[in-house]
Amino acid sequence: MKLFTAQRRHSVLAFGEQRLIVAIRGWLGDASPRSPFGIGDDCAVVPSSGRPMLITTDPVIHGQHFDDTVPARAVGAKLLKRNLSDIAAMGGRPVAAVLSLALAPETDARWLRDFYRGLAAAARTFRVRIVGGDITQGPRGFFGAFLTLHGEAAGSRAVTRSGARAGDALYVTGALGGSLLGHHYKFTPRLTEGAWLARRTEVRAMMDLSDGLAKDLGSLTPRGLAPALCGPAVPVSRAARRRATQTGTAPLAHALGDGEDYELLIVVARDADRAAFERAWRTRFPSVPLSHIGGFVRAADRAALAGAINLRDYNGYEHLR
Amino acid sequence: MKLFTAQRRHSVLAFGEQRLIVAIRGWLGDASPRSPFGIGDDCAVVPSSGRPMLITTDPVIHGQHFDDTVPARAVGAKLLKRNLSDIAAMGGRPVAAVLSLALAPETDARWLRDFYRGLAAAARTFRVRIVGGDITQGPRGFFGAFLTLHGEAAGSRAVTRSGARAGDALYVTGALGGSLLGHHYKFTPRLTEGAWLARRTEVRAMMDLSDGLAKDLGSLTPRGLAPALCGPAVPVSRAARRRATQTGTAPLAHALGDGEDYELLIVVARDADRAAFERAWRTRFPSVPLSHIGGFVRAADRAALAGAINLRDYNGYEHLR
């Protein structure tokens, strides 16, 4: 068995990302516990002798997550912030990170210095300690930085992606789309907001938006339910409008499909006092928009879905393409 | 500032591995705490609300850590075992791992299946749970798997690399050298041995051998001291002898410089009852050799170093070359 194949049908590309993740769970079998203790949530929740640990891992790879227009410092900061966003999505508090680098021999040491300085500055801002790592030589033209971040629940629970029920409401923070114009590395992970939300008992489930609302919503939707989104309620960013003008497309398509929003998507219980919840949010976070964009209905309930956005019309970010 | 440079003097290659690691510590500044709480030991020790956490990260990259002669299953197992060896070196117990993959689109899904099955089998053997991960597309011809392993001290302490004093004795497990002939992926991490050693009060410091004894010893040697190794006492593996015959070199050179031994290097206090220590080892691990290979002396003590191996004559594995 060779590592690489010339036959496309045997390649991971032919598999596609979603099928590959399902297959990997099968291959790992009982070596990988069920979500949230295993694959499938923003972070893995690991029982420990103290508070449950949260672990997440995300890389930045040249050509995938940044290009030569992004300053080295911003690349280092983005690497940490992507992972912080996953901790935020569970209502966690970050603690420590390790970094594994694979870099081409011709990597400029001055660029690398700025990358590390950007990482260090973000680590100080968000009170994370960089506690270890590894450096390995990679092939020419390659730069990949693979960070693993550890944290713990900020309050008494970690909020997972599961738990939504029919009738629950969907909220989103900030405004969506157009991240390519700068937001993809200029964002601030919603750590304070996530920790606050985890303490609210009406919040049933939560995740951060990385691949675009249209695709990410799937991970929050239990079997038998469907999300019913109200188009005009979706907060479209100014960048999404600019991209739409540049490319002659619909702003909503960018808000739903661009990815790298790093905003929080929140499920609020159907019996909650939503007005009180919204008021409490505005008092605590007066400058961060919180939008009620729809809710979950039974998938068989065609009437409830009439007029809702058909999410299949909008593609999210596909990691293998 | 560009990521890659055409001028060799600015490249990380010109920096070299050791200088680069020192530079990185400077760039991170106070975002990175001191060893063992930060960079510089086999694992980072992270204080937590429960027992101190151990974290380590090591990848396998095609062309660096394996080639097409190594079965996919063995590559998956090696990835976990390399990291387990670091946990073993601190007397730790492994708990959970996350895996970040960067893979070329033409990666064969059947190879990947065997890789994951090998990883899962090793995870079951060593009671590690694979709790999460990430998959990102990499450039053509690239396969890198970056694993981060979490554990905790098996007993009351984590044994670090620091603590050796003049007069202390040096021991090593197993036999060294020639890993290229198969040991580099067929080894068993010394978890049981490491946990046992951590409970022995005469053990002052410990590490695992990954880059070759000649190079690795430097990390165990405090300023002002020098290791005095007795050449004939160094356990030379059969593979090292075979390599020496194949290449017309000295077997000892392979034992000191080949790397990927994954054996434990142990510092035993000068005032310990070494005979009792060796007896206890033989009773507990009758089939694992333990060799007394020398000790630490003051670097200024020329007389004590006469007749000892001059380690500068032997190169360890250099990660950037």
Side-chain angles (χ1 to χ4, degrees):
Chain A
M1 182 72 60
K2 287 274 179 49
L3 172 53
F4 302 121
T5 176
Q7 293 178 276
R8 198 183 179 287
R9 71 192 164 96
H10 288 310
S11 73
V12 294
L13 196 62
F15 247 72
E17 185 193 357
Q18 298 298 332
R19 264 179 68 210
L20 193 58
I21 291 170
V22 171
I24 286 173
R25 285 172 161 189
W27 298 334
L28 286 172
D30 61 4
S32 179
R34 291 187 166 267
S35 171
F37 303 106
I39 296 164
D41 220 302
D42 294 290
C43 302
V45 180
V46 179
S48 84
S49 49
R51 238 179 239 215
M53 223 192 319
L54 303 177
I55 312 180
T56 185
T57 184
D58 266 320
V60 290
I61 297 176
H62 181 241
Q64 289 280 340
H65 306 101
F66 72 96
D67 59 20
D68 292 335
T69 66
V70 182
R73 270 180 176 267
V75 176
K78 175 176 179 173
L79 174 61
L80 185 61
K81 291 193 298 179
R82 301 188 69 189
N83 284 279
L84 287 168
S85 185
D86 285 320
I87 296 278
M90 304 202 73
R93 194 176 62 78
V95 176
V98 294
L99 173 57
S100 204
L101 275 188
L103 75 193
E106 76 276 16
T107 303
D108 195 312
R110 296 165 301 176
W111 189 96
L112 196 64
R113 176 196 63 207
D114 291 351
F115 166 87
Y116 269 101
R117 285 187 178 158
L119 173 68
R124 278 188 290 268
T125 301
F126 297 104
R127 294 165 187 274
V128 178
R129 317 206 87 181
I130 311 294
V131 297
D134 180 77
I135 299 177
T136 307
Q137 187 166 318
R140 287 189 71 81
F142 186 80
F143 177 91
F146 301 79
L147 189 132
T148 301
L149 179 61
H150 310 84
E152 51 185 23
S156 58
R157 63 162 178 165
V159 183
T160 69
R161 291 181 179 177
S162 54
R165 299 183 209 168
D168 285 355
L170 267 167
Y171 283 83
V172 72
T173 60
L176 311 181
S179 61
L180 212 59
L181 294 181
H183 180 80
H184 77 96
Y185 65 88
K186 289 176 182 160
F187 68 99
T188 301
R190 301 279 188 205
L191 281 164
T192 320
E193 294 87 345
W196 184 88
L197 287 161
R199 279 192 295 270
R200 300 289 304 196
T201 53
E202 62 268 67
V203 172
R204 273 217 240 261
M206 192 155 66
M207 73 181 297
D208 77 321
L209 291 174
S210 55
D211 295 344
L213 181 59
K215 182 177 169 190
D216 286 336
L217 247 177
S219 326
L220 216 54
T221 309
R223 194 183 296 261
L225 297 192
L229 289 199
C230 172
V234 173
V236 179
S237 72
R238 261 186 294 187
R241 292 186 204 287
R242 285 227 312 279
R243 285 290 290 163
T245 306
Q246 285 170 4
T247 56
T249 45
L252 186 61
H254 290 278
L256 294 175
D258 278 357
E260 300 220 62
D261 293 307
Y262 301 110
E263 295 292 351
L264 295 178
L265 185 61
I266 306 144
V267 178
V268 171
R270 63 181 295 176
D271 53 5
D273 180 346
R274 288 217 310 273
F277 172 68
E278 291 171 17
R279 235 175 7 248
W281 174 275
R282 280 196 303 271
T283 306
R284 180 67 185 81
F285 304 106
S287 64
V288 183
L290 180 73
S291 307
H292 177 202
I293 57 172
F296 285 106
V297 299
R298 293 192 195 289
D301 189 352
R302 303 236 159 213
L305 282 164
I309 297 174
N310 189 347
L311 292 168
R312 296 213 184 124
D313 297 344
Y314 302 92
N315 297 318
Y317 186 81
E318 173 64 31
H319 290 261
L320 295 169
R321 70 214 133 83
Chain B
M1 182 70 62
K2 287 273 178 50
L3 171 53
F4 302 121
T5 177
Q7 293 178 279
R8 199 183 177 286
R9 71 193 164 93
H10 287 310
S11 73
V12 293
L13 196 61
F15 247 74
E17 185 193 357
Q18 297 298 334
R19 262 179 70 211
L20 193 58
I21 292 171
V22 171
I24 286 173
R25 285 174 160 186
W27 298 334
L28 286 172
D30 60 5
S32 180
R34 292 190 164 264
S35 171
F37 304 106
I39 296 164
D41 220 302
D42 294 290
C43 302
V45 180
V46 178
S48 85
S49 48
R51 235 177 239 214
M53 221 190 323
L54 304 177
I55 311 180
T56 185
T57 185
D58 265 319
V60 290
I61 297 176
H62 181 241
Q64 290 279 340
H65 306 100
F66 72 96
D67 59 23
D68 292 333
T69 66
V70 183
R73 271 180 174 266
V75 176
K78 175 177 179 173
L79 174 60
L80 185 61
K81 291 193 298 178
R82 300 189 69 188
N83 284 279
L84 287 168
S85 185
D86 285 320
I87 296 278
M90 304 203 72
R93 194 177 63 79
V95 175
V98 294
L99 172 57
S100 204
L101 274 188
L103 76 192
E106 76 276 17
T107 303
D108 195 311
R110 297 166 300 177
W111 189 96
L112 196 64
R113 176 197 63 207
D114 291 350
F115 167 86
Y116 269 101
R117 286 188 178 156
L119 173 67
R124 279 187 290 268
T125 301
F126 298 103
R127 294 162 186 275
V128 179
R129 318 206 87 182
I130 310 295
V131 297
D134 180 77
I135 299 177
T136 307
Q137 186 165 318
R140 288 190 70 81
F142 185 80
F143 177 91
F146 301 80
L147 189 133
T148 301
L149 179 60
H150 311 82
E152 51 185 24
S156 57
R157 64 164 177 163
V159 184
T160 69
R161 290 181 178 177
S162 53
R165 299 184 210 165
D168 285 354
L170 268 166
Y171 284 82
V172 72
T173 60
L176 310 180
S179 61
L180 211 59
L181 295 181
H183 180 81
H184 76 95
Y185 65 89
K186 289 176 182 160
F187 67 99
T188 301
R190 301 280 188 202
L191 282 163
T192 320
E193 294 87 344
W196 184 88
L197 288 161
R199 280 192 296 270
R200 300 289 305 196
T201 53
E202 62 267 67
V203 171
R204 273 218 240 261
M206 191 156 64
M207 73 182 296
D208 78 319
L209 291 174
S210 54
D211 295 345
L213 181 60
K215 182 176 170 192
D216 286 336
L217 247 178
S219 325
L220 215 56
T221 309
R223 194 183 296 262
L225 296 193
L229 289 199
C230 173
V234 173
V236 179
S237 72
R238 261 186 294 185
R241 292 187 205 286
R242 284 227 313 279
R243 286 289 289 163
T245 306
Q246 285 169 3
T247 57
T249 45
L252 187 62
H254 289 279
L256 295 175
D258 278 356
E260 301 220 62
D261 293 309
Y262 301 110
E263 294 292 351
L264 295 177
L265 184 62
I266 307 145
V267 178
V268 171
R270 63 181 291 176
D271 52 6
D273 179 346
R274 288 216 310 274
F277 172 69
E278 292 171 18
R279 234 174 6 246
W281 174 274
R282 279 196 304 270
T283 305
R284 180 69 185 78
F285 304 106
S287 64
V288 183
L290 179 73
S291 307
H292 176 203
I293 57 172
F296 285 107
V297 299
R298 293 190 196 290
D301 189 351
R302 304 236 160 214
L305 282 165
I309 297 174
N310 189 346
L311 292 168
R312 297 213 184 124
D313 296 344
Y314 302 91
N315 296 317
Y317 187 83
E318 172 64 32
H319 290 260
L320 296 170
R321 70 217 133 84

